[in-house]
Amino acid sequence: MTTPWWQTCVIYQIYPRSFQDTNDDGIGDLRGIARRLDYLVGLGVDAIWISPIYPSPMVDFGYDIADYCDVDPSFGVLADFDNLLVQAHRRGLKVLLDLVPNHSSDQHPWFAESRASRESQKRDWYIWRDPAPGGGPPNNWISDFGGSAWQWDEATGQYYYHAFLREQPDLNWRHPAVQAAMYDVMRFWFDRGVDGFRIDVLWHMVKAADFPDNPPNPAYRFGMGEMHRLLQRHSTDQPEVHRIAAEMREIADSYGARGQGARVLIGEIYLPVDRLMHYYGGERPEMHLPFNFQLIDTPWQARVLAAVIANYEAVLPPGGWPNWVLGNHDRPRVAARLGQAQARIAAVLLLTLRGTPTLYYGDELGLTDVVIESSDVRDPRELREPGLALGRDPVRTPMPWDDSENAGFSAVRPWLPLHADWSTRNVTRMAEDPQSILALYRRLTALRRDRRALSIGSFVLLNVQDDILVYERRHAAERLVVALNLGERPHRLQLPEWVRDSRLLLSTAEDAALVEDGVLLLGSNEAVVLEAG
Ligand code: GLC
């Protein structure tokens, strides 16, 4: 049986506002993405996931959707999307859209109708509740962006629920008509030819039917963000979400379940790994890939990483395909977390672990979090709880293409500032430098394509000590060893017998590691891939 593409592919996340502007408004657009497809082919990725492109008041920059079946004018028109899809497919690139089913914009006609009166046909499409017996919000639930998750509606005398901004009312997924409407949205885009969806906040979609208070979080400390005062026990991860996830999967599978034609669903789920596993599905399959964000949060220490990897491998359900994520549009960038030297090691880790890797645009250049002056802040997360470093603008800054004005991103001032060193840290400059992190990413994707062991091979941990992590990837006759030095101190590593006669396939260092008499001399901040025999 042929391996489905979503198991061997490398996924690249595009934040469309910041990728490439073509109409001189300082905001990226679909034509911009189309213009840069050859760059993505050269980078060696196989699929792009584009954050939301639909009509939106942009209060949460596209995650507040006013029409699920069209394109926002700032990104272009539907025909631009169709063209992008054709251009991408012509190059062998898959295209995934971002489905945001948990909530719409308060400007969506569904919500306008729902809020119009208590008798409205669509009243129950959203979550309306009377005040608590003594007055005030129906329960203690807190919005993920801080403050009560309930918004009072004077006109109809009820509260509505919003897990995020009050401009993002939650849809009522217990209502069959809501389910049907959103399934039609999926069909609309599948019919146009999209290859799948990343599903926004999947674990939020169903809430406990009787809306009990959430319990306090004993680990809460000031600075974590107000949402962490409570454990989201009743507002998220309810058993009923799994039937919905399975129905979504059924729709995807009806468009293609195997090989090159498979349509894929990726769930955004921030849960402990044992809970995450349920989103692969039980009797009925659910997500192909429930996003695994552990590399973002795990302390960068060999032993801790090794334990995380081993545990994840161990708890995967039978047939469950692993995946790994280094960064996204909500979390600090990998180069900001680890520094430039270790961002390179992280690249090797991401692209040599077992499982589908997802790469966030700009991480291939080592972009770091950009300091945003308070007058430039755009992210509602930051605006609502300022000063706690929760804002996401720093990781959403424009992609730098060259050293021309505005880094070739736009002819005008971009919607967010560029990073300070954009005149050297840009695609054109780094593509010329064989030692750049961009060149490293290209070598890694090429190697991954070339050696099946890296994509579909088995994974065995070989050695964990101090700053050193060594593992084997093996498929048929291919046997590779990956050795990472997570620190500054060079190491001498005794290699297993079978890898003594090995070839160096890749090193992150300019003067690559040496293997002498079965001992690997791994330099400071160096990672290598060796091939046995
Ligand atoms: C997801 C998105 C995030 C957005 C939120 C609300 O977590 O990744 O960017 O703000 O959902 O839609």
Side-chain angles (χ1 to χ4, degrees):
M1 233 182 69
T2 55
T3 314
W5 64 268
W6 51 271
Q7 297 188 350
T8 55
C9 75
V10 175
I11 301 172
Y12 184 90
Q13 180 191 355
I14 293 178
Y15 195 69
R17 290 180 73 83
S18 296
F19 202 59
Q20 174 70 65
D21 179 19
T22 62
N23 66 344
D24 304 347
D25 60 358
I27 297 170
D29 44 53
L30 292 174
R31 288 183 181 200
I33 298 174
R35 188 193 283 177
R36 295 301 184 178
L37 288 175
D38 288 332
Y39 165 73
L40 297 171
V41 171
L43 180 59
V45 302
D46 311 278
I48 55 176
W49 145 37
I50 311 174
S51 281
I53 55 168
Y54 320 103
S56 164
M58 300 289 168
V59 185
D60 193 19
F61 296 108
Y63 285 94
D64 48 325
I65 296 171
D67 178 353
Y68 285 93
C69 297
D70 206 344
V71 167
D72 190 83
S74 62
F75 295 130
V77 294
L78 211 40
D80 294 322
F81 178 75
D82 291 338
N83 178 55
L84 170 62
L85 199 55
V86 169
Q87 297 297 331
H89 284 168
R90 203 170 275 165
R91 290 165 174 81
L93 290 172
K94 304 286 187 186
V95 178
L96 311 177
L97 284 181
D98 208 315
L99 185 73
V100 188
N102 177 70
H103 46 270
S104 72
S105 161
D106 63 346
Q107 301 304 305
H108 196 293
W110 295 343
F111 188 68
E113 205 180 322
S114 179
R115 110 186 285 178
S117 88
R118 289 204 190 196
E119 284 70 48
S120 157
Q121 280 251 325
K122 288 205 169 60
R123 186 65 170 180
D124 291 340
W125 280 44
Y126 291 83
I127 299 170
W128 292 96
R129 283 284 172 289
D130 290 332
N139 68 20
N140 71 349
W141 295 2
I142 297 174
S143 151
D144 279 21
F145 291 163
S148 171
W150 296 96
Q151 175 65 30
W152 176 245
D153 182 61
E154 189 63 51
T156 57
Q158 282 191 310
Y159 285 89
Y160 68 84
Y161 176 69
H162 57 91
F164 296 90
L165 300 172
R166 71 182 140 89
E167 294 88 348
Q168 295 169 297
D170 279 45
L171 283 150
N172 173 17
W173 271 89
R174 293 181 182 273
H175 196 317
V178 168
Q179 300 171 8
M182 201 61 74
Y183 298 161
D184 280 347
V185 169
M186 296 177 73
R187 292 189 188 98
F188 175 87
W189 293 104
F190 276 141
D191 284 337
R192 295 195 102 80
V194 306
D195 301 291
F197 294 100
R198 173 266 191 188
I199 302 178
D200 191 65
V201 297
L202 177 63
W203 85 113
H204 268 271
M205 283 174 58
V206 182
K207 346 295 173 191
D210 48 350
F211 292 86
D213 275 356
N214 273 328
N217 175 8
Y220 172 75
R221 301 280 172 279
F222 178 76
M224 293 168 88
E226 203 194 339
M227 65 173 282
H228 295 291
R229 280 181 191 278
L230 303 178
L231 298 171
Q232 298 187 328
R233 183 166 303 153
H234 304 297
S235 49
T236 65
D237 196 29
Q238 298 299 299
E240 296 91 334
V241 74
H242 294 288
R243 185 180 55 78
I244 290 162
E247 286 174 5
M248 290 179 155
R249 173 63 178 266
E250 217 167 81
I251 294 169
D253 283 352
S254 75
Y255 282 85
R258 262 175 282 284
Q260 274 308 302
R263 309 293 176 106
V264 63
L265 298 182
I266 305 176
E268 185 207 21
I269 301 148
Y270 283 95
L271 283 177
V273 121
D274 57 317
R275 303 295 312 158
L276 182 66
M277 292 303 131
H278 292 279
Y279 289 79
Y280 279 104
E283 262 156 44
R284 299 171 71 192
E286 297 176 25
M287 296 297 107
H288 297 79
L289 304 171
F291 259 148
N292 167 22
F293 296 121
Q294 293 179 95
L295 291 182
I296 300 181
D297 292 317
T298 303
W300 201 242
Q301 295 159 14
R303 276 175 215 285
V304 187
L305 280 171
V308 160
I309 296 165
N311 179 56
Y312 180 64
E313 286 276 353
V315 297
L316 279 170
W321 186 253
N323 77 90
W324 297 95
V325 182
L326 265 191
N328 62 38
H329 64 295
D330 294 326
R331 308 301 307 277
R333 283 193 181 269
V334 59
R337 302 193 310 264
L338 307 179
Q340 292 299 338
Q342 285 297 315
R344 298 167 67 88
I345 309 304
V348 177
L349 180 67
L350 177 71
L351 288 158
T352 60
L353 279 175
R354 194 177 82 93
T356 304
T358 300
L359 169 61
Y360 183 50
Y361 89 97
D363 280 352
E364 77 273 32
L365 305 174
L367 288 199
T368 120
D369 294 5
V370 176
V371 177
I372 308 288
E373 300 299 329
S374 52
S375 55
D376 287 336
V377 169
R378 308 293 300 270
D379 181 19
R381 183 89 185 84
E382 177 69 23
L383 293 169
R384 285 178 61 99
E385 291 186 88
L388 302 181
L390 299 172
R392 302 164 297 176
D393 293 328
V395 308
R396 297 175 173 180
T397 58
M399 181 76 174
W401 294 101
D402 53 44
D403 61 6
S404 70
E405 212 180 335
N406 304 313
F409 164 74
S410 176
V412 304
R413 186 168 178 231
W415 75 288
L416 282 177
L418 284 157
H419 51 295
D421 58 348
W422 63 270
S423 64
T424 49
R425 192 174 293 285
N426 63 58
V427 168
T428 308
R429 179 69 75 89
M430 295 176 97
E432 289 161 0
D433 173 6
Q435 292 310 319
S436 70
I437 184 167
L438 175 59
L440 173 64
Y441 265 103
R442 286 180 170 163
R443 282 190 287 147
L444 282 163
T445 55
L447 188 59
R448 196 177 165 96
R449 211 168 267 192
D450 214 52
R451 297 293 198 282
R452 301 277 286 169
L454 287 178
S455 53
I456 59 170
S458 60
F459 173 93
V460 179
L461 264 174
L462 296 179
N463 190 349
V464 189
Q465 46 162 300
D466 307 320
D467 285 330
I468 299 294
L469 185 60
V470 187
Y471 46 89
E472 177 193 354
R473 300 297 314 277
R474 180 177 191 172
H475 175 68
E478 275 176 22
R479 271 187 109 170
L480 307 188
V481 170
V482 182
L484 313 175
N485 186 350
L486 273 52
E488 309 248 299
R489 201 159 55 80
H491 277 266
R492 297 171 58 85
L493 284 181
Q494 191 70 48
L495 290 169
E497 193 67 46
W498 56 266
V499 74
R500 299 246 158 125
D501 262 342
S502 64
R503 299 193 303 120
L504 184 70
L505 293 181
L506 178 140
S507 162
T508 57
E510 202 159 348
D511 45 351
L514 295 174
V515 184
E516 277 171 2
D517 301 330
V519 174
L520 170 67
L521 306 171
L522 198 59
S524 160
N525 297 308
E526 181 177 13
V528 296
V529 182
L530 305 170
E531 181 166 43

